Amino acid sequence: MYELLYDIFGSEIIAMIIAACMPLFLFILPFALIAVLLERKVSAHMQDRLGPMRVGYHGILQTIADILKLIQKEDIVADTTDKKLFNMAPVLVFAGSYAVFAAIPFSGAFIGSAADVGIFFIIAVSSIVVAGILMAGWASNNKYSLLGAMRSAAQIISYEIPTALVVLSIVMLTGTLSLNTMSIQQTAYFWNWNLFGGAADGFVQLLLLPFTVVAFVIFYISSLAEVNRTPFDIPEAESELVAGYHTEYSGMKFAMFFLAEYANMFAVSAIAVAIFLGGYQSPLGYLGNTIGVEWLIPYEQLFWFTVKGVGLVLVQIWLRWTLPRLRVDQLMTVCWKYLIPYAFVNLIIIGLISLI
Amino acid sequence: MKQPKEIFESLKEKFTEYNFEIIEDLPVEPIISVDPLNVNKIGFYLRLDADLQFDSLMVLSGVDDNNAKKIKQEDETEIDDPGTLSVYYHLYSTTLKHKVTLKASAPKDNPEIESVEKVWKTADWHEREAYDMIGIKFLNHPDLRRILMPYDWDENSFPLRKDYENPEFYQGIKVPY
Amino acid sequence: MSLYDIIFYLFALLVLVSAFITVTSKNIVHSAFSLMFTLFGVAGIYVLLGADFLGVVQLLVYVGGILILMIFGVMMTNEITNVDIKTGTTQVVPAIIGVGLFAGALTSMMLRTGWNSQPSENMDTTTYAIGKLLLTEYVLIFELLGMLLLVALIGAASVARKEKE
Amino acid sequence: MAIKTEEMVLNMGPQHPSTHGVLRLELELEGEIIKNVKPHIGYLHRCFEKHAEAMTYPQVVPYTDRMDYVASMYNNFGYAVTVEKLLGIEVPERVEYIRVIMGELQRIASHMVALGTYGLDLGAFTPFLYLFIDREKILNLFEMTCGARLLYNYIWVGGVSHDLHPDFLRLTKEFIDYYRPHIAELNELLSYNKIFIERTANVGVMPLDTAINYGMTGPNLRASGLKFDLRKDEPYSIYDRFDFDVPVGEGKMGTVGDCWDRYFVRVLELEQSLKILEQAIEQIPEGDVQSAIPKRIKPPAGTVYGRVEAPRGELGYFIISDGSVNPFRMKVRAPSFVSLSIMGELCKGHLVSDVVAILGSIDIVLGEVDR
């Protein structure tokens, strides 16, 4: 994509800046708008109610109205906050979740960076979010915020381990760290997806199948924890900690946390898609190939990627409105006593099988 | 299952040194009046005795009896009897299913009544409320603070006393607006 | 000035400024957070040098792990709810002497070194090479480090374990 | 090796999403572990007892509504029963049945709020709304009867304010049939949810002797394993005519008297209330709804303590009458007030999240705590 822009503008700098901004304007913002509306509508219909209905047809403009409201709101900064850090934190959180999008392969032609260390980069860069959350919690000078931040940091750091272990097992299977390569490997029909044992031969694939499914489940659970969604939303548990680390934030700064949360939701879903669900590959084959229109394929891939990603986001929403929330020690128990050992065993077994 | 009369008798038997009275002519429920400074001992007896087992204190209510009067003395001078403040204890036994009501009265100018918090934990908050509203001082209560009224409420102002008058100002704000 | 240069200078500036703040800030939490930016900038420079794996590891280990832990620790040390966690300046004269000597040594080193610059090779990927090296040439060190980490892990677990009563 | 740590004091409330009103809990924390809890109440104090002294007996009724505003009908009920006991009068049959029907509907509605908000406290949003949809149907029935949806002023001393709407009994029957399957749905969605059980079982265990000593009543006491229900043990009104069970906590998921038991006893009570309702609707006679009592109620001098089994426990009115038209002293034994006093005992050694779970499970209404 960068090369394309470079051809158009002829300047590295402009091309870079535009390439860097594109996911924001083309994807994250529209996605956040839709996802917030989706969350409200889906939850409403799950609960036998209608949800927003007033702004636009069936309330479809509700999020836009909300954002306009948030922009106009007074930006309250409490007197005893640490102002520098307080102002920096939302930016850092958003930057962290935004940086993840650089390595996500939306389609064969739309990749921010097809870097070889793609998945590794994503895991690494998302730790900036933790720093931002800690910063927000500490700078707010509010006990609820601090508790929320501490919980959040502990939670995200803990759950990075099973995530990394699972990713590692898939990396062993595929032999690459690049999400793009992984996606390419899972081409042609859905039984080649890593979820179903990858593109290995018949017998090996059958052998791998249970373990990759387990890997996917572990990955999905820990990714839920990493983005603080129910049942792991204890950092912002509204019934205990009011709103956790963003209790003191208002107006646009709050909106940035909000945006980051929804961006994160999609990011983890996208990673799950890229690693396990065939990435941007169509499960059924491409229309572009069939009718011989080659340029259609990237767009088809983008479509499939988005569909899969949004599908997983929908599952997140579904879980959120169904399950209660875990307690902080139970959360750690789930991570350290169940997910990590299973992930370890899984890692070893997948490693052994992939040696065959 | 025992009637208040029998309980009254057994109390009198057990604690010969204290005064007990039974008020039976009231409609609805008879009341045993007990010594205010030894309520806790009586309480322990009532709770632990195998025939009584009053393990539950249903309610503890402070009451301003509003019986201040002037007593004429022999030399024709009058002195003020400030009247009494009382505490009613409604007891119930969850095992034997019988009930009894106790009453302890203390003079209004020095309303000291022994706390029964050690006997029935539930008395803790009820006694705080009685202190808060009526101004009865419960001796040996672990944490006798105001409970419903603000902590900075005037120390000698107890809203449920019959002679209570609204303060003019509260925290600089005029009250009768 | 090419894009590469601009990004390099941005990262360099980030590293220098945040390192400066780390050292001079009186507020420990500010120091800790600016140290994070320093490490982040260094990671960026690694990537610019073609060591993408190293850069990511830097980010993962230092920013995501060690620094978060440090901030955790700093927050826990003092009255956590008050913002004034302060450091002071002591031993000014010895510090100046030490810094002067060190700076002199560095400057003279910089001036005397013959800088051989080489055109950058477009390294395809460093991951394979690192992996191969770790499991062949440095396998002993790799294993020893693994043992060390295991020992640390067990030690941490036994320290954190609840005492039996 | 003991590490000395500084304790942190966290003020939970008075404005906090899960204190169920304006309650302030002063938590002394060591990390996230509770060392001590001090409830501070009185933010909603409306001087009910002082007001009552200035009112005539019938005038007090609307004030009782405002105590436990989630179960207003039962507050009226308890007050009416107590004053009638003081007056020594009987009320017409039909009134008794209406009162029982209203009381049990109110109990269901009140338990719905309790269960729903409990789920909400633990992060489950959906059960809350499911329950509120059904509660809405009960409120519709109430509205149809007395025009009000929250504060009814319906059960008066000596009778009720209006007779039932002609459709009321039919619609109530329909509601019973409609609602019964929803209890199973609630169990599926919340009660037997693994995470919900993890959060509530073995948390805030209230042993029976502690519960009795702290004066727990109602579902909180029954969850600790004592089969004690004033409707059975000391039948007032006409509760002795109905056949129903008193569910007690069995420690099915953990220890007897834990949060899950307290929650589940309420779920089981829904079923029993429906059972009473069915019988009451079958048996209700025709008749007058206001017995012939004088407009000016002037009870004899004396004291009375009347107690009823309100949804939250034993609701007691202690009335001292000096023979005038105003009560001389009125003291309310509010179940929530008593229940809340055990908070400190229950929370010790638990985590911050458990405070919410425990507070929700003892089900308080601040209007009643502060009166």
Side-chain angles (χ1 to χ4, degrees), chain C residues 45-120:
Chain C
I45 289 172
Y46 280 150
V47 174
L48 285 182
L49 289 172
D52 52 356
F53 189 80
L54 196 59
V56 170
V57 167
Q58 163 95 0
L59 214 57
L60 190 68
V61 173
Y62 283 95
V63 179
I66 293 175
L67 216 95
I68 300 291
L69 217 63
M70 261 168 70
I71 295 170
F72 239 93
V74 167
M75 283 181 177
M76 294 289 190
T77 46
N78 210 317
E79 276 227 308
I80 40 176
T81 45
N82 286 349
V83 191
D84 44 296
I85 298 172
K86 292 272 161 65
T87 54
T89 319
T90 50
Q91 306 280 4
V92 183
V93 180
I96 288 175
I97 295 169
V99 169
L101 285 175
F102 188 60
L106 272 182
T107 327
S108 69
M109 240 167 73
M110 270 164 70
L111 292 176
R112 287 178 195 196
T113 313
W115 297 95
N116 302 321
S117 61
Q118 260 184 334
S120 70

Side-chain angles (χ1 to χ4, degrees), chain A residues 143-144 151 239 321 325, chain D residues 9 11 18 32 121-122 126:
Chain A
K143 286 169 187 168
Y144 290 116
R151 282 178 175 195
S239 58
W321 298 105
R325 147 184 341 113
Chain D
V9 176
N11 260 321
S18 58
E32 281 216 21
D121 284 345
L122 299 179
T126 305

Side-chain angles (χ1 to χ4, degrees), chain A residues 12-13 16 80 82 85 88 92 116 120-121 123-124 127-128 131 134-135 138 141 143 150 153 157 175 177, chain C residues 2-3 6 27 29-30 33 36-37 40 53 56-57 59-60 64 68 72 75 80-81 83 124-125 127-128:
Chain A
E12 282 182 318
I13 301 164
M16 192 61 153
T80 50
D82 187 329
L85 295 186
M88 207 189 288
L92 204 61
D116 287 319
F120 208 30
F121 167 78
I123 293 173
S127 61
I128 293 178
L134 269 176
M135 199 189 257
W138 193 79
N141 197 9
K143 286 169 187 168
M150 292 286 184
I157 289 179
L177 282 171
Chain C
S2 71
L3 179 69
I6 292 174
N27 188 324
V29 177
H30 285 187
F33 277 116
M36 182 189 82
F37 285 110
F40 181 75
F53 189 80
V56 170
V57 167
L59 214 57
L60 190 68
I68 300 291
F72 239 93
M75 283 181 177
I80 40 176
T81 45
V83 191
D124 223 16
T125 169
T127 327
Y128 276 110

Side-chain angles (χ1 to χ4, degrees), chain D residues 297-361:
Chain D
I297 299 175
K298 225 173 170 179
T303 69
V304 63
Y305 178 67
R307 51 180 191 162
V308 294
E309 182 73 29
R312 282 174 182 71
E314 172 185 326
L315 173 69
Y317 288 89
F318 175 54
I319 303 175
I320 301 181
S321 156
D322 59 353
S324 69
V325 290
N326 306 332
F328 177 77
R329 169 84 168 98
M330 164 109 58
K331 156 98 185 179
V332 181
R333 183 227 193 262
S336 304
F337 177 82
V338 178
S339 307
L340 188 59
S341 67
I342 204 173
M343 267 307 278
E345 176 82 19
L346 286 189
C347 290
K348 262 174 213 155
H350 285 298
L351 296 165
V352 176
S353 323
D354 292 329
V355 174
V356 177
I358 293 167
L359 185 68
S361 76

